[in-house]
Amino acid sequence: MVGNSPIIYDAAIIDLNGVAILDTNPALKDRPVPDRSPLRVLRDAGFRHSCACLYGPGTVYDASIGIELDGRLSAAFTWA
């Protein structure tokens, strides 16, 4: 895999308990989504750690956006 290739591993809509309501992998529907390191770990890493992350073994990071209904957080869209 190329280190600078923008690849999305999977995407899901999850409830507040971390269970997939909808997932690109149908086998994960109604199951807890796998725990992954948040993307901010890479964003906030120092230069050397960032280089080690980018050019070391492949790692899947999680990015999420909350989904609100009537002003309350009700689910999240997550992609890795």
Side-chain angles (χ1 to χ4, degrees):
M1 183 184 314
V2 178
N4 62 359
S5 177
I7 296 174
I8 295 177
Y9 185 73
D10 73 28
I13 296 177
I14 60 171
D15 66 13
L16 296 177
N17 298 316
V19 175
I21 298 169
L22 181 65
D23 198 294
T24 52
N25 180 351
L28 293 179
K29 186 176 179 294
D30 298 325
R31 294 187 174 191
V33 239
D35 285 331
R36 299 181 179 122
S37 296
L39 187 58
R40 71 176 173 272
V41 169
L42 182 59
R43 180 196 67 197
D44 296 342
F47 177 74
R48 289 182 187 207
H49 184 68
S50 294
C51 288
C53 290
L54 289 172
Y55 297 104
T59 304
V60 178
Y61 294 95
D62 179 71
S64 299
I65 297 175
I67 299 173
E68 292 184 10
L69 181 63
D70 293 330
R72 296 183 321 172
L73 184 64
S74 59
F77 175 71
T78 182
W79 63 97

